């Protein structure tokens, strides 16, 4: 045991408990025939919780963690503390980037050895832990070698480095029993079109993703490959802009049956959408995978990665997740940072515990909305005209036959209320 969390004990479900307990998240509560834990599949993000120093665009490190530094001993200490936190939170999953868990090393080979050694260490920790790996990913955006992109870099040596890195990270994800592998392309975009061959860069990104899928099949990794869309930041423009853009990209490269989406709440907002829009669209396209449940501050307009704290928003998101059939390999990852003044170990616990409670409340509301059925029956009723044989035949016909019906049948459409206020009032009964 480290002494980082001192005497903090694993949190219990207690609706009337004190500050450090779950008031709503009850892992064993049965909802729609399944335990709440198995519905929500919470994950801690290693990077923001254990590797992020607390900087913002105007200032650097505020957190002083005993494991900060680039040695293997400190990397092991970091893993020890991480697994202690997983136990305190009783969280079923975690996620990492290569850069979060190992010292960089001065050559690729040294970095690889560091990584492989720490992956072994994490594997040994997982043997005595309930917490499993939701996904692994590669950080191909922080180091200066990636400043002009990763797989989309004008320099083929960077492409090679990326290939070597992703191969290593998929191997490690496979070894640790990870359920997904994520690609988020923070630098896969551009700063200015004046120096960018957009066509070439998209081709490189497409070929890279095909290579990732080919490798997954080659080694028999049966987890899902997920792309995480984000419109901009750090790049001015990113190719994985939003779900619709990524779907077009997947179709172009023949990957629409191989790759699914990891959708982040804050990224949806940055793209000018709602979270539930991105979820509903991914679901309708058959590419819904997993979620990063962290929000942005609506005033600051950048990716502040805060823990969720808005039950109605979360409820509408889980409503879409449930309509998509719930998670299979995916889960609810908190890709969330503490605020930089939240210096204490207890802040890390409170941030996650509060987020888990918010999600539990939102999820329960979503279940009730679905079980109540009014929203879905009103939606079905709105489209009920399409159930008639004439309407269905029209879709199989052409413009001419549709046009002929108008006069032959004396068609004169009668506008109907969309009932938005009534629907919003219904949602309000549950949240
Ligand atoms: C950044 C992304 C990142 C991915 C993993 O905005 O959300 O944290 O989830 O690389
Ligand atoms: Ni993000
Ligand atoms: Ni994310």
């Amino acid at each position: 045991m480290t002494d980082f969390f001192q005497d903090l004990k694993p949190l219990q479900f207690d609706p009337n408990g004190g500050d450090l307990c779950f008031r709503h998240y009850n892992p064993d509560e049965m909802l729609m025939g399944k335990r709440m834990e198995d519905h929500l599949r919470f994950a801690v993000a290693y990077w923001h919780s254990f590797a992020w120093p607390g900087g913002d665009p105007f200032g650097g490190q505020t957190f002083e963690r005993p494991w900060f530094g680039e040695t293997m001993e400190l990397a092991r200490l970091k893993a020890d503390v991480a697994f202690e936190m997983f136990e305190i939170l009783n969280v079923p999953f975690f996620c990492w980037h290569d850069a979060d868990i190992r010292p960089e090393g001065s050559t690729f080979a040294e970095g690889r050895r560091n990584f492989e050694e720490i992956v072994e260490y994490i594997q040994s920790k997982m043997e005595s832990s309930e917490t499993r790996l939701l996904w692994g990913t590669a950080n191909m955006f922080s180091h200066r070698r990636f400043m002009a992109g990763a797989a989309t870099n004008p320099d083929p040596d960077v492409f090679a480095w990326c290939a070597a890195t992703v191969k290593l990270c998929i191997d490690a994800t496979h070894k640790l029993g990870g359920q997904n592998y994520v690609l988020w392309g923070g630098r896969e975009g551009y700063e200015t079109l004046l120096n960018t061959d957009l066509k070439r860069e998209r081709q490189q990104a497409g070929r890279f993703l095909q290579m990732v899928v080919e490798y997954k099949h080659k080694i028999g990794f049966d987890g899902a490959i997920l792309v995480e869309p984000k419109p901009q930041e750090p790049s001015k423009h990113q190719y994985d802009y939003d779900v619709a853009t990524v779907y077009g990209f997947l179709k172009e490269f023949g990957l629409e049956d191989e790759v699914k989406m990891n959708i982040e709440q804050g990224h949806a907002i940055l793209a000018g959408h709602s979270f539930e829009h991105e979820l509903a669209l991914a679901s309708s396209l058959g590419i819904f995978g997993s979620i990063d449940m962290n929000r942005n501050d609506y005033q600051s307009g950048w990716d502040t990665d805060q823990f969720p704290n808005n039950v109605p928003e979360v409820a509408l998101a889980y409503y879409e997740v449930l309509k998509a059939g719930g998670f299979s390999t995916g889960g609810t990852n908190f890709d969330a940072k503490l605020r930089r003044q939240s210096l204490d170990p207890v802040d890390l616990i409170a941030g996650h515990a509060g987020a888990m409670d918010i999600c539990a409340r939102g999820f329960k509301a979503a279940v009730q909305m679905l079980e109540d059925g009014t929203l879905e029956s009103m939606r079905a009723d709105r489209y009920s005209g399409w159930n008639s044989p004439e309407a269905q035949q029209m879709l199989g016909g052409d413009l001419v036959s549709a046009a002929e019906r108008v006069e032959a049948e004396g068609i004169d459409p009668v506008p109907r209320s969309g009932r938005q206020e009534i629907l919003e009032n219904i949602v309000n009964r549950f949240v």
Side-chain angles (χ1 to χ4, degrees):
M1 283 289 281
T2 74
D3 58 6
F4 184 70
F5 289 112
Q6 305 210 335
D7 51 3
L8 277 174
K9 300 272 175 310
L11 305 190
Q12 305 296 325
F13 169 66
D14 181 355
N16 305 307
D19 287 342
L20 287 178
C21 66
F22 297 118
R23 286 161 173 267
H24 303 275
Y25 177 59
N26 178 7
D28 293 319
E29 183 174 336
M30 295 298 287
L31 294 156
M32 299 174 80
K34 206 157 127 181
R35 294 172 63 247
M36 197 191 284
E37 178 181 270
D38 301 330
H39 276 291
L40 289 164
R41 294 167 59 89
F42 288 130
V44 166
Y46 213 97
W47 50 105
H48 291 329
S49 289
F50 306 110
W52 179 61
D56 72 8
F58 297 89
Q61 177 170 353
T62 58
F63 300 149
E64 289 174 342
R65 305 299 195 208
W67 57 84
F68 280 177
E70 288 286 295
T71 70
M72 287 302 286
E73 196 190 332
L74 292 173
R76 279 189 290 272
L77 173 63
K78 183 174 7 177
D80 292 343
V81 172
F83 276 82
E84 285 168 17
M85 187 168 98
F86 304 157
E87 195 180 332
I88 292 171
L89 292 171
N90 183 25
V91 75
F93 292 102
F94 72 116
C95 307
W96 48 249
H97 301 82
D98 53 348
D100 312 327
I101 58 176
R102 56 97 179 106
E104 169 88 29
S106 54
T107 60
F108 187 87
E110 193 189 337
R112 175 180 57 73
R113 284 192 296 272
N114 289 346
F115 181 65
E116 286 171 345
E117 198 179 315
I118 205 73
V119 167
E120 294 265 333
Y121 188 69
I122 286 178
Q123 187 175 37
S124 71
K125 299 205 71 80
M126 286 174 76
E127 275 159 22
S128 53
S129 163
E130 303 274 301
T131 305
R132 292 161 291 155
L133 182 62
L134 187 65
W135 43 266
T137 188
N139 178 328
M140 300 197 296
F141 43 88
S142 295
H143 194 281
R144 66 193 289 274
R145 78 173 64 85
F146 303 119
M147 69 181 186
T152 60
N153 203 288
D155 179 354
D157 286 353
V158 178
F159 186 99
W161 188 289
C162 291
T165 302
V166 170
K167 176 185 173 298
L168 204 57
C169 288
I170 297 180
D171 286 342
T173 302
H174 189 35
K175 183 180 166 103
L176 296 177
Q179 306 205 0
N180 308 271
Y181 183 82
V182 166
L183 294 116
W184 170 66
R187 307 272 178 203
E188 307 293 35
Y190 59 79
E191 294 303 321
T192 170
L193 272 178
L194 295 175
N195 65 11
T196 302
D197 183 339
L198 189 138
K199 183 173 182 187
R200 183 193 286 268
E201 292 202 1
R202 289 184 72 265
Q203 294 291 329
Q204 282 174 217
R207 181 61 200 131
F208 190 80
L209 195 51
Q210 288 170 342
M211 288 161 76
V212 167
V213 168
E214 285 160 14
Y215 187 66
K216 160 197 154 148
H217 290 302
K218 182 170 172 195
I219 63 170
F221 172 60
D222 59 10
I225 301 291
L226 306 177
V227 165
E228 184 175 322
K230 187 175 183 183
Q232 72 277 125
E233 199 192 276
S235 305
K236 173 184 164 57
H237 178 95
Q238 277 152 221
Y239 301 131
D240 296 339
Y241 199 93
D242 59 4
V243 169
T245 309
V246 176
Y247 186 70
F249 180 87
L250 296 180
K251 287 287 263 191
E252 181 181 349
F253 293 96
L255 294 168
E256 68 274 20
D257 296 329
E258 294 282 0
V259 177
K260 294 189 162 35
M261 297 295 101
N262 182 42
I263 302 170
E264 179 165 311
Q265 198 268 5
H267 298 183
I269 306 296
L270 280 178
H273 303 302
S274 65
F275 192 23
E276 57 270 26
H277 164 88
E278 289 290 80
L279 296 167
L281 184 60
S283 163
S284 76
L285 295 168
I287 55 171
F288 169 67
S290 196
I291 62 176
D292 276 6
M293 183 58 104
N294 41 288
R295 68 190 173 94
N296 294 343
D297 187 302
Y298 288 117
Q299 271 166 285
S300 67
W302 54 287
D303 200 8
T304 53
D305 284 333
Q306 290 169 245
F307 287 98
N309 76 349
N310 183 321
V311 175
E313 274 183 3
V314 166
L316 292 177
Y318 280 123
Y319 190 67
E320 296 301 332
V321 170
L322 281 170
K323 284 203 299 158
F327 296 121
S328 53
T329 62
T332 303
N333 176 41
F334 296 119
D335 187 359
K337 296 174 182 140
L338 290 174
R339 296 307 83 197
R340 69 198 293 267
Q341 298 175 56
S342 302
L343 302 178
D344 297 342
V346 71
D347 295 320
L348 264 176
I349 303 300
H352 284 89
M356 291 159 80
D357 264 350
I358 293 279
C359 288
R361 283 181 68 189
F363 186 77
K364 285 202 272 190
V367 168
Q368 285 167 9
M369 290 194 286
L370 209 56
E371 285 180 342
D372 170 80
T374 314
L375 292 173
E376 286 319 298
S377 69
M378 286 176 71
R379 190 200 309 270
D381 182 57
R382 187 159 181 250
Y383 292 90
S384 57
W386 283 98
N387 297 337
S388 75
E390 297 80 8
Q392 286 305 312
Q393 272 162 20
M394 184 167 61
L395 290 179
D398 59 10
L399 266 191
V400 176
S401 53
E404 278 166 4
R405 282 189 61 221
V406 175
E407 289 187 35
E409 296 175 26
I411 286 178
D412 185 9
V414 181
R416 292 175 63 190
S417 170
R419 303 208 184 285
Q420 180 165 339
E421 293 78 6
I422 292 174
L423 290 163
E424 287 167 350
N425 294 350
I426 292 169
V427 169
N428 204 32
R429 283 187 219 150
F430 297 98
V431 296

